[in-house]
């Protein structure tokens, strides 16, 4: 039975209020892909699109992902953004809003939306994991639209032999011949019918217990299947498998990021082939979750993959890199400019109980866990980047960027948590018109932690915010 439910205007209104509190029309532009930092869309709001996928349509990239709030995991819709360069994202729509009731109604879970265009019908079809808040009513659902940005009409569960697929993490894959596939945690691969609205065949059964957040791509005659282990939103070292046929045999190849980096602190979501005149860059898209502040503080880890034969890797983490969408060529970007060390008390005004500390990795920081403690820096230039040391006791920091008239240009929350200590870029603003600006960072006295459906506890043990250095671009 198909369930077609449209959201009541009241729900749409509620959602817009929660996730699109406009700060200011964005005046800046990004010139690179930055991982692990909040991104601001064309309206100056944080891009909220997790468990995402991207499809290219009419020369433009469309990003679909989970919208979130900072308070609960209840489904608040799937967002759609578009971009020409993969750096600057325009908010397009709530592609699938909360439904009046049913599988994606109020107080339900909706995760990992994946959109594909059906070659036979020309329709856009969105697949997702639908569930209850306790993760005990899972099913793969689907929604359809004649336009890419939607709104999509929720059609109910995707059926295989007349039955819903009662599993959770899912992904999608479109092969070169236009065939569509649904991927499921554990390594299941299902083939879609010609109209993409049902399953015709289980192409491969489970090959790996665990293996959540499945993503699959193809280069020449080799298929690569990536996924995480079962640690909820906590990061782990993700694995990959390869095969020359979707039917297998699938061979476990191991990790694709260096062991212990926990997939550079992220969980797999999708791999986007960026095809250009000179080659193809395969872009890994991962989530750095930050429960409960998933709307503000969860970030994206997008990195170019090195693909060679059956080997797949992200050997180095790039805080910033550039992709030429015409040529398909990726280049690392060094974030350079005037460096202000955390010890520079002439330029950085500290308020509260900040202590200098010798940290892991041989670096020093200024750190505080006192709620309301803050530091600010006034600068003249076009862009500011902030490096901090994330660690097991890291908490949330509130970031504010003002112009010389005191107008707030950007506001955001940054998560300083990592299971292991690591210094990396924690905030960078878009490139702004040259001017006088003030960056203020304050300790929120809160941290990310949560229990999963198996009652395991995860997250930070402290509320620390740390500053390593600031880099200002003139
Ligand atoms: C895993 C899944 C996510 C989400 C969380 C909830 O991380 O990959 O999609 O379901 O668990 O704990």
């Amino acid at each position: 039975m198909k369930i077609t439910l449209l959201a009541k205007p009241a729900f749409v209104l509620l959602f817009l209020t929660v996730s699109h509190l406009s700060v200011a029309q964005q005046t800046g532009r990004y010139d690179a892909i930055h991982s692990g930092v909040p991104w601001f869309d064309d309206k100056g709001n944080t891009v909220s699109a997790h468990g995402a996928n991207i499809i290219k349509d009419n020369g433009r990239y469309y990003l679909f992902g989970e919208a979130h709030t900072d308070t609960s995991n209840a489904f608040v819709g799937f967002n759609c953004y578009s971009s020409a360069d993969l750096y600057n994202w325009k908010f397009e729509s709530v592609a699938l809003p909360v439904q009046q009731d049913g599988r994606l109604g109020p107080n339900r879970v909706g995760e990992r939306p994946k959109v594909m265009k059906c070659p036979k019908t020309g329709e856009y079809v969105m697949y997702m994991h639908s569930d209850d808040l306790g993760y005990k009513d899972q099913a793969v659902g689907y929604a359809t639209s004649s336009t890419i940005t939607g709104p999509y009409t929720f059609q109910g569960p995707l059926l295989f032999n007349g039955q819903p697929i009662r599993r959770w993490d899912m992904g999608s894959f479109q092969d070169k011949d236009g065939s569509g596939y649904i991927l499921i945690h554990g390594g299941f691969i299902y083939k879609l019918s010609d109209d993409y609205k049902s399953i015709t065949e289980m192409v491969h059964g489970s090959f790996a217990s665990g293996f959540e957040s499945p993503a699959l791509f193809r280069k020449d005659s080799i298929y690569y299947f990536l996924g995480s282990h079962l640690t909820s939103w906590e990061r782990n070292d993700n694995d990959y498998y390869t095969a020359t046929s979707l039917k297998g045999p699938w061979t476990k190849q191991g990790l694709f990021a260096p062991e212990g980096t926990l997939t550079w602190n992220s969980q797999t979501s999708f791999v986007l082939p960026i095809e250009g005149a000179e080659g193809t860059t395969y872009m890994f898209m991962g989530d750095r979750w930050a429960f409960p502040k998933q709307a503000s503080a969860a970030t994206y880890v997008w990195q170019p993959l090195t693909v060679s034969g059956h080997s797949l890797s992200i050997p180095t983490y790039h805080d910033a890199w550039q992709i030429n969408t015409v040529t398909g060529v990726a280049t690392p970007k060094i974030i350079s400019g005037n460096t202000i060390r955390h010890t520079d008390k002439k330029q950085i005004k500290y308020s509260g109980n900040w202590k200098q500390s010798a940290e892991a990795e041989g670096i020093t920081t200024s750190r505080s866990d006192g709620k309301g403690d803050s530091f600010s820096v006034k600068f003249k230039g076009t862009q500011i980047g902030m490096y901090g040391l994330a660690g097991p006791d890291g908490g949330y920091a509130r970031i504010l960027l003002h112009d010389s008239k005191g107008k707030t240009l950007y506001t955001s929350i940054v998560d300083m948590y990592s299971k292991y200590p690591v210094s990396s870029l924690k905030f960078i603003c878009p490139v702004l018109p040259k001017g006088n600006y003030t960056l203020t960072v304050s300790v929120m006295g809160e941290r990310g932690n949560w229990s999963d459906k198996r009652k395991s506890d995860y997250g930070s043990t402290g509320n620390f915010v740390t500053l390593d250095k600031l880099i200002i671009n003139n």
Side-chain angles (χ1 to χ4, degrees), residues 69-103:
T69 65
D70 279 350
T71 46
S72 114
N73 194 39
F75 176 62
V76 286
F78 295 134
N79 282 338
C80 172
Y81 298 83
S82 74
S83 176
D85 56 14
L86 296 165
Y87 309 159
N88 293 284
W89 292 97
K90 174 177 185 274
F91 177 74
E92 289 285 353
S93 61
V94 180
L96 186 74
V98 178
Q99 307 292 290
Q100 204 171 343
D101 50 31
R103 293 205 154 270

Side-chain angles (χ1 to χ4, degrees), residues 51 66 73 109 111-112 129 131 135 168-170 212-214 228-234 236 267-268 287 289 291 294 450-454 458:
E66 300 160 14
N73 194 39
V109 160
E111 293 179 346
R112 303 195 173 276
H129 162 203
D131 217 323
Y135 289 90
W168 57 95
D169 276 19
M170 42 74 58
E212 286 193 323
S213 68
S228 76
H229 297 275
L230 280 141
T231 57
S232 180
W233 290 298
E234 182 60 273
N236 57 55
Q267 184 186 23
T268 300
D287 295 294
W289 302 104
F291 192 86
Q294 305 270 46
W450 71 99
S451 300
D452 72 357
K453 47 199 169 226
R454 293 168 207 90
Y458 298 98

Side-chain angles (χ1 to χ4, degrees), residues 221-455:
S221 57
I222 302 175
Y223 296 92
Y224 305 79
F225 202 169
L226 294 69
S228 76
H229 297 275
L230 280 141
T231 57
S232 180
W233 290 298
E234 182 60 273
R235 305 111 198 201
N236 57 55
D237 284 325
N238 293 190
D239 281 323
Y240 77 104
Y241 292 70
T242 59
T244 49
S245 158
L246 290 174
K247 290 184 186 298
W250 285 93
T251 307
K252 185 172 182 175
Q253 303 291 356
L255 311 183
F256 56 88
E259 189 169 3
T261 64
L262 310 182
T263 323
W264 300 113
N265 262 330
S266 76
Q267 184 186 23
T268 300
S269 180
F270 193 69
V271 174
L272 176 71
I274 305 162
E275 290 170 16
E278 289 172 27
T280 302
T281 290
Y282 296 86
M283 182 172 79
F284 168 81
M285 294 166 56
D287 295 294
R288 189 175 290 173
W289 302 104
F291 192 86
K293 299 203 186 299
Q294 305 270 46
S296 307
T299 58
Y300 308 90
V301 174
W302 288 5
Q303 298 284 323
L305 284 158
T306 303
V307 193
S308 165
H310 287 265
S311 145
L312 191 66
S313 63
I314 311 174
T316 9
Y317 177 82
H318 300 291
D319 283 322
W321 59 285
Q322 291 170 318
I323 176 75
N324 182 324
T325 54
V326 177
T327 61
V329 175
T331 341
K333 179 167 191 281
I334 308 295
I335 298 173
S336 60
N338 294 339
T339 300
I340 304 177
R341 300 281 317 157
H342 67 96
T343 43
D344 186 342
K345 293 198 175 165
K346 269 201 196 122
Q347 302 210 58
I348 305 171
K349 301 287 171 235
Y350 288 98
S351 149
N353 197 18
W354 293 83
K355 292 210 169 69
Q356 286 186 21
S357 163
E359 309 276 9
E361 298 191 326
I363 64 162
T364 65
T365 64
S366 287
R367 54 161 56 224
S368 168
D369 64 352
K371 187 174 176 176
D373 285 3
S374 65
F375 66 82
S376 65
V377 60
K378 284 188 194 304
F379 67 96
K380 183 171 187 167
T382 57
Q383 191 176 34
I384 188 162
M386 179 184 90
Y387 285 75
L389 187 113
D393 58 1
Y396 293 126
R398 184 174 293 287
I399 314 274
L400 284 169
L401 187 75
H402 291 118
D403 68 9
S404 58
K405 294 188 184 108
K407 185 171 136 196
T408 302
L409 299 181
Y410 300 105
T411 176
S412 172
I413 295 173
V414 158
D415 187 8
M416 293 271 180
Y417 168 67
S418 164
K419 241 179 145 175
Y420 61 97
V422 56
S423 176
S424 63
L425 186 69
K426 299 310 283 174
F427 177 82
I428 192 162
C429 67
V431 181
L432 296 161
K434 190 162 182 160
N436 292 300
Y437 302 98
T438 306
L439 179 80
T440 306
V441 177
S442 50
V443 180
M444 291 182 68
E446 292 174 54
R447 59 175 171 267
N449 54 24
W450 71 99
S451 300
D452 72 357
K453 47 199 169 226
R454 293 168 207 90
K455 308 268 183 268

